[in-house]
Amino acid sequence: MNLIGTKWKPLILFHLLEGSLRSGVLQKKIPGISNKMFTQTVRDLEKDGLIYRKVFPVVPPKVEYSLSKRGQSLEAILRSLDNWGLEDCKR
């Protein structure tokens, strides 16, 4: 729970199950997250070895995030949380 037990971490990880995403695209998939919180959260996830950050040497800068093997190992948990949330909304 220390690794994914915040408001934003599971959402970022869940969206990365689709595959690598550019920083701006990933952030737009998470309504309500501020730039500061997004940056802090992806840095924490990278530090914990759950995601990779790839910087492309182009102008303007291009940054892409993807799940590491450790992050991919959370897929069943993330999908279960998503399914629970969908069922809970039906009540």
Side-chain angles (χ1 to χ4, degrees), residues 29-82:
K29 288 181 175 276
I30 305 167
I33 193 169
S34 67
N35 286 334
K36 179 182 176 185
M37 186 53 64
F38 177 79
T39 301
Q40 181 180 330
T41 304
V42 292
R43 283 183 182 161
D44 287 346
L45 290 168
E46 183 182 16
K47 179 184 62 113
D48 292 333
L50 296 174
I51 66 172
Y52 293 126
R53 179 178 185 260
K54 184 174 182 182
V55 180
F56 294 87
V58 295
V59 177
K62 177 182 173 186
V63 177
E64 197 172 85
Y65 292 100
S66 61
L67 290 176
S68 65
K69 279 206 180 269
R70 188 176 191 197
Q72 290 170 0
S73 71
L74 293 167
E75 181 172 5
I77 294 166
L78 295 168
R79 295 216 183 268
S80 292
L81 283 170
D82 183 51

Side-chain angles (χ1 to χ4, degrees), residues 11-22 25-26 29-30 65-67 72 75 78-79:
L11 291 170
I12 289 172
L13 293 168
F14 182 79
H15 287 295
L16 289 175
L17 290 173
E18 304 170 16
S20 299
L21 290 172
R22 290 186 64 173
V25 173
L26 178 57
K29 288 181 175 276
I30 305 167
Y65 292 100
S66 61
L67 290 176
Q72 290 170 0
E75 181 172 5
L78 295 168
R79 295 216 183 268

